[in-house]
């Protein structure tokens, strides 16, 4: 059989491996139980539970999709449909630092493409790819809602505002 | 016009997000007052104030509330739309991060007025992680003081709020997309009718209000409808947060009575254009608003005046584009945004937004064809009004307006395979990275 590109929906990487079992840690399980009390039905807790899973494992693996589906009485297809609809759920593992550069109009006027293209070039990665040492993933994102302090770079959960090429370089050097 | 501090009265105080600072400024008095009134009286005051929704459509808030049927078979919900993802808009974040109690108080009053069930949700965009933690902390504080929970102010009204984080989808800012997302689905907008006021989240009547709208409510209750109408002009009342970004010297959130002119805002308060260049185009209400040219800057920024000028005030996210930027490139970036954010449900929007992006990109790359400007208008014509929600109509705003107002620049790209002299492209075309 011809090799399938890992992004293809039929690539083996996209299917859960029954031998690999994932499970929430006791703390995450506690948070999960609390989340369920906040919604009138289980399905509504899906988005926050996926956030929880991503905090736990860094990405939403096919195994996690099955596990969460089991927890919330949803089919894996339903869960995967949600995961693939929303941008913030990583369908592939990301680096330790997920560098998300906003390039929408206000940031673009603030020369965000210099930052974004410069970073990809310097780290020698394609957009969305992770550096070989697993440290950085560079992604271009849509408006982060901080246009008054453009350009903005979001690293993991933190906003870094009023960025320039130099400031980003200095910032990345401080990340170990 | 001088800047005012009404909605933003608290934000510069040290530790402004804490409940003690908010209480010291007279916080939660409005909620106490409102909960002693009848719900209909509260709705009437908001109606009298002529408050219009600050999320984009400018629909009268009091009227929206009064659409909620009494004695519906399922619980009524209040949802706060904090999914601020319209490019150019960053006003709600100021309230969320620096004055969260104003929003919470507004939600208590609004929920009481519409007869909400004891649970309500703030739908905050996933990227506002910090904002969500601020809100969670503020909600804890409010619960500890008894402003949330059972029997608030002895009125017998039970109410609580949950922060529901989105996960990066612009479409979830659309009312019914947001409702779908709260229910744990893909955020694809619903067919209307039934309108959310009749059948919304979890099958119950639902009111979705923007953060800034809800933040206005305590002020109206405290000071009265007449006071609120003292700002702005009839039908366009109240203080308004304007977000200015792009090529201005002092970008940021500015608060004025509704109706300050664009020129005054840009030149007197934002310090003029970067590098003292000239204005080329201004987007007055977030990425979906059609562009205005330098000749249209005298426009007062209120809902009706901007609409009359063929654009929309929307969320008041003003993006200024100066003369040195290539307009085709700017519009390409907006088209790329809408192509990326189209939910994929309606064919005209899903396919059309991608094709607009492709055509704009080929113009930039020097592969433009003579008919491309008209082709873009034709495509826009086939998207507008042919999709379930407003995203399709939003996507064509910048394209139509720029083709009509800057046609020469489009034609120059076709003929000379480069940008108009004096304008530059703010990205590189040679890198594979430009592909998304």
């Amino acid at each position: 059989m011809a090799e399938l590109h890992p992004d293809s929906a039929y690539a083996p990487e996209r299917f859960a491996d029954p031998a690999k079992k994932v499970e929430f840690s006791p703390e995450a399980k506690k948070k999960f139980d609390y989340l369920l009390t906040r919604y009138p039905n289980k399905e509504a807790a899906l988005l926050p539970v996926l956030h929880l899973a991503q905090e736990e494992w860094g990405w939403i693996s096919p195994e996690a999709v099955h596990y969460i589906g089991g927890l919330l009485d949803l089919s894996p297809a339903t869960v995967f449909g949600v995961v693939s609809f929303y941008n913030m759920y990583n369908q592939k593992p990301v680096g330790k630092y997920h560098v998300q550069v906003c390039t929408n109009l206000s940031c673009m006027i603030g020369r965000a493409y210099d930052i974004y293209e410069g970073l990809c070039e310097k780290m020698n990665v394609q957009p969305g790819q992770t550096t070989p040492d697993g440290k950085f993933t560079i992604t271009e994102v849509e408006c982060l809602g901080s246009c008054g302090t453009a350009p903005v770079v979001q690293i993991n959960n933190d906003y870094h505002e009023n960025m320039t090429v130099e400031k980003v370089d200095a910032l990345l050097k401080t990340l170990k | 016009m001088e800047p005012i501090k009404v909605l933003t009265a608290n934000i510069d105080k040290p530790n402004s997000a804490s409940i003690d600072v908010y209480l010291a400024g007279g916080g939660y008095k409005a909620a106490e007052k409102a909960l002693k009134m009848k719900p209909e009286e509260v709705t009437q005051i908001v109606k009298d104030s002529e408050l219009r929704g600050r999320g984009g459509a400018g629909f009268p808030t009091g009227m929206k509330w009064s659409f909620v049927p009494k004695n519906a078979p399922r619980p009524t919900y209040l949802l706060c739309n904090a999914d601020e993802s319209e490019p150019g808009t960053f006003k709600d974040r100021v309230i969320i991060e620096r004055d969260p109690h104003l929003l919470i108080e507004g939600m208590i009053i609004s929920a009481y007025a519409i007869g909400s069930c004891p649970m309500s949700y703030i739908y905050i965009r996933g990227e506002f992680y910090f904002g969500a933690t601020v809100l969670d902390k503020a909600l804890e504080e409010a619960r500890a003081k008894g402003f949330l929970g059972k029997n608030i102010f002895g009125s017998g009204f039970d109410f609580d709020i949950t922060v529901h984080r989105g996960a990066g989808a612009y479409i979830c800012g659309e009312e019914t997309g947001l409702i779908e997302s709260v229910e744990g689905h893909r955020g694809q907008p619903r067919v209307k009718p039934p309108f959310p006021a009749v059948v919304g989240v979890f099958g119950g009547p639902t009111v979705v209000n923007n953060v800034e709208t809800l933040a206005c409510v305590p002020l109206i209750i405290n000071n009265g409808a007449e006071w609120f109408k003292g700002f702005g002009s009839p039908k366009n009342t109240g203080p308004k947060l304007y977000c200015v970004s792009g090529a201005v010297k002092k970008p940021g959130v500015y608060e004025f009575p509704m109706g300050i002119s664009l020129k005054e805002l840009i030149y007197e308060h934002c310090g003029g254009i970067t590098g003292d260049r000239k204005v080329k185009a201004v987007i007055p209400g977030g990425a979906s608003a059609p562009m205005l040219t330098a000749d249209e800057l005298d426009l007062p920024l209120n809902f009706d005046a901007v609409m009359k000028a063929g654009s929309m005030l929307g969320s008041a996210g003003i993006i200024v584009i100066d003369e040195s930027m290539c307009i085709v490139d700017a519009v390409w970036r907006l088209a790329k945004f809408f192509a990326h954010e189209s939910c994929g449900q309606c064919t005209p929007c899903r396919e059309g937004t991608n094709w607009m992006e492709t055509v704009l990109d080929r113009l930039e790359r020097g592969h433009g064809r003579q008919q491309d400007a008209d082709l873009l208008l034709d495509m826009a014509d086939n998207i507008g009004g042919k999709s379930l929600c407003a995203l399709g109509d939003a996507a064509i705003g910048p394209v139509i307006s720029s083709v009509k107002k800057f046609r020469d620049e489009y034609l120059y790209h076709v003929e000379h395979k480069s940008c108009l002299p004096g304008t530059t492209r703010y990205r590189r075309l040679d890198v594979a990275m430009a592909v998304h």
Side-chain angles (χ1 to χ4, degrees):
Chain A
M1 202 175 101
E3 290 267 311
L4 284 167
H5 190 271
D7 285 344
S8 157
Y10 303 103
E13 291 91 332
R14 302 295 282 267
F15 288 89
D17 180 353
K20 271 195 256 168
K21 281 269 178 283
V22 292
E23 207 179 341
F24 277 145
S25 64
E27 299 95 74
K29 192 81 193 25
K30 233 191 206 159
K31 282 187 198 162
F32 170 78
D33 290 335
Y34 172 73
L35 283 173
L36 286 191
T37 65
R38 306 301 288 178
Y39 296 91
N41 62 35
K42 274 184 170 183
E43 186 173 12
L46 179 55
L47 265 73
V49 170
L50 285 171
H51 277 303
L52 187 65
Q54 186 149 304
E55 266 168 44
E56 187 95 337
W57 299 303
W59 67 299
I60 311 287
S61 61
E63 291 79 18
V65 166
H66 281 252
Y67 174 65
I68 290 166
L71 288 179
L72 298 175
D73 297 336
L74 298 170
S75 74
T78 308
V79 178
F80 186 70
V82 170
V83 171
S84 57
F85 185 83
Y86 295 97
N87 266 349
M88 282 177 69
Y89 299 128
N90 301 321
Q91 298 174 54
K92 276 188 266 181
V94 291
K96 188 177 174 196
Y97 298 103
H98 191 189
V99 184
Q100 300 154 76
V101 188
C102 171
T103 56
N104 212 303
L105 190 53
S106 298
C107 285
M108 187 187 191
I109 294 173
R111 297 299 180 143
Y113 270 104
D114 291 354
I115 297 177
Y116 173 63
E117 292 166 344
L119 277 179
C120 287
E121 214 161 46
K122 203 170 299 157
M123 302 208 175
N124 196 18
V125 288
Q126 289 292 312
Q129 274 188 352
T130 309
T131 50
D133 58 1
K135 207 167 151 191
F136 296 108
T137 303
I138 316 289
T139 336
E140 176 183 14
V141 291
E142 294 298 350
C143 187
L144 291 172
S146 187
C147 320
T149 46
V152 193
V153 176
Q154 187 187 10
I155 301 182
N156 296 344
N157 282 326
D158 301 323
Y159 276 30
H160 300 272
E161 300 168 29
N162 291 316
M163 282 289 128
T164 57
V165 175
E166 295 77 33
K167 275 191 194 167
V168 172
D169 282 347
L171 179 69
L172 293 190
K173 280 203 187 93
T174 65
L175 300 174
K176 291 286 167 252
Chain B
M1 223 180 256
E2 285 301 307
I4 50 171
K5 285 217 163 277
V6 180
L7 279 166
T8 53
N10 283 332
I11 62 162
D12 293 328
K13 294 179 186 167
N15 207 8
S16 63
S18 82
I19 197 161
D20 296 328
V21 174
Y22 188 65
L23 284 172
Y28 288 102
K29 288 251 168 61
E32 196 174 357
K33 191 173 162 191
L35 263 54
K36 293 207 167 86
M37 295 189 239
K38 283 196 191 116
E40 303 81 57
E41 288 171 356
V42 179
T43 308
Q44 193 55 46
I45 294 175
V46 173
K47 258 189 190 166
D48 290 344
S49 74
E50 296 177 359
L51 168 65
R52 293 173 72 169
R54 305 302 204 223
F59 192 79
T61 307
M63 196 170 335
K64 201 177 202 176
W65 291 1
S66 60
F67 289 156
V68 175
K70 301 276 173 281
N71 312 319
R74 288 175 192 240
T76 303
Y77 283 91
L78 172 71
L79 300 179
C80 168
N81 186 347
D83 187 67
E84 186 170 57
S85 16
E86 181 79 36
T89 313
F90 45 101
K91 63 190 173 60
D92 297 345
R93 184 172 165 225
V94 173
I95 297 174
I96 292 165
E97 289 183 0
R98 286 155 75 181
D99 201 3
H101 287 287
L102 181 66
L103 170 62
I104 295 170
E105 187 175 8
M107 284 186 76
I108 297 171
I109 301 168
S110 312
Y112 177 70
I114 63 165
S116 161
C117 75
M119 183 53 87
S120 154
Y121 301 94
I122 299 178
Y123 187 93
I124 186 168
R125 62 177 301 183
E127 289 87 347
F128 284 177
Y129 183 80
F130 178 67
T133 56
V134 172
L135 278 172
D136 271 332
K137 189 162 163 268
L139 289 170
E140 262 327 305
E141 288 175 334
R143 275 181 211 124
K145 295 264 186 199
F147 300 143
L148 289 174
K150 296 228 175 292
N151 195 14
I152 304 166
F153 297 117
S155 63
F157 178 61
D158 304 342
F159 186 61
D160 201 358
I161 302 172
T162 298
V163 178
H164 182 99
R165 281 177 70 209
Y170 168 71
I171 194 64
C172 293
E174 201 273 344
E175 227 173 16
T176 55
L178 188 147
I179 287 170
E180 285 287 322
S181 189
V182 170
E183 290 184 355
H185 305 151
R186 295 158 69 91
Q188 291 179 320
R190 294 178 178 172
V191 183
K192 290 182 270 190
F195 286 92
V198 183
V199 181
V201 74
F202 307 121
T206 305
V207 169
V208 185
N209 279 145
N210 177 258
V211 171
E212 194 189 342
T213 316
L214 290 166
C216 286
V217 173
L219 307 172
I220 296 171
I221 299 296
N222 264 336
N223 302 300
E226 286 308 314
W227 167 85
F228 193 79
K229 280 202 278 192
F231 298 99
S233 52
K235 300 279 170 217
N236 292 281
T237 57
K240 178 85 193 84
L241 300 180
Y242 292 101
C243 329
V244 191
S245 64
V248 288
K249 283 180 189 158
K250 288 189 284 181
V253 176
Y254 294 83
E255 185 177 10
F256 287 98
M258 180 137 10
I260 185 176
S261 88
L262 201 46
K263 190 178 243 164
E264 186 184 344
L265 184 59
I266 293 172
Y267 285 99
E268 281 173 40
H269 300 287
C270 300
I273 310 300
T274 324
D276 290 319
R277 289 188 284 263
K278 283 190 193 135
V279 173
K280 175 181 264 180
V282 178
I283 297 172
S288 29
M291 291 178 174
L292 301 171
T293 57
D295 306 330
E296 295 169 278
L297 294 188
D298 287 321
L299 195 67
L301 287 168
N302 65 38
F303 290 113
D304 295 335
V306 182
M307 188 165 282
K308 220 171 147 193
S311 186
M312 61 177 197
L313 182 63
S315 50
I318 297 150
I319 307 177
V320 181
I321 300 169
D322 69 277
E323 57 180 352
S324 72
M325 188 179 197
C326 169
I327 203 81
V328 181
D329 204 29
V331 175
W332 165 79
R333 188 61 190 83
L334 296 175
K336 175 167 143 67
F337 169 76
F338 287 112
H340 183 261
E341 299 298 342
S342 172
C343 79
Q345 201 175 193
C346 314
T347 315
C349 170
R350 181 187 64 228
E351 302 298 320
T353 48
N354 271 302
W355 273 108
M356 287 201 299
E357 183 203 339
T358 308
V359 171
L360 286 159
D361 192 52
R362 87 173 172 218
L363 280 164
E364 273 300 306
R365 286 173 192 276
H367 306 308
R369 301 171 193 169
Q370 201 61 44
Q371 70 275 27
D372 273 355
D374 291 320
L375 181 63
L376 283 167
L377 290 179
D378 187 36
M379 279 194 276
D381 194 37
N382 280 297
I383 300 171
K386 295 184 174 66
S387 57
L388 270 182
C389 75
L391 193 138
D393 301 315
I396 63 174
V399 175
I400 293 187
S401 56
S402 67
V403 172
K404 286 192 176 150
K405 291 174 180 173
F406 301 99
R407 200 180 184 95
D408 51 334
E409 264 197 72
Y410 279 87
L411 295 181
Y412 195 91
H413 277 85
V414 176
E415 277 162 30
H416 300 268
K417 307 197 185 310
S418 68
C419 301
L420 195 74
T423 67
T424 44
R425 189 185 302 122
Y426 286 8
R427 61 176 170 133
R428 281 154 54 187
L429 297 176
D430 57 323
V431 216
M433 289 144 203
V435 184
H436 61 98

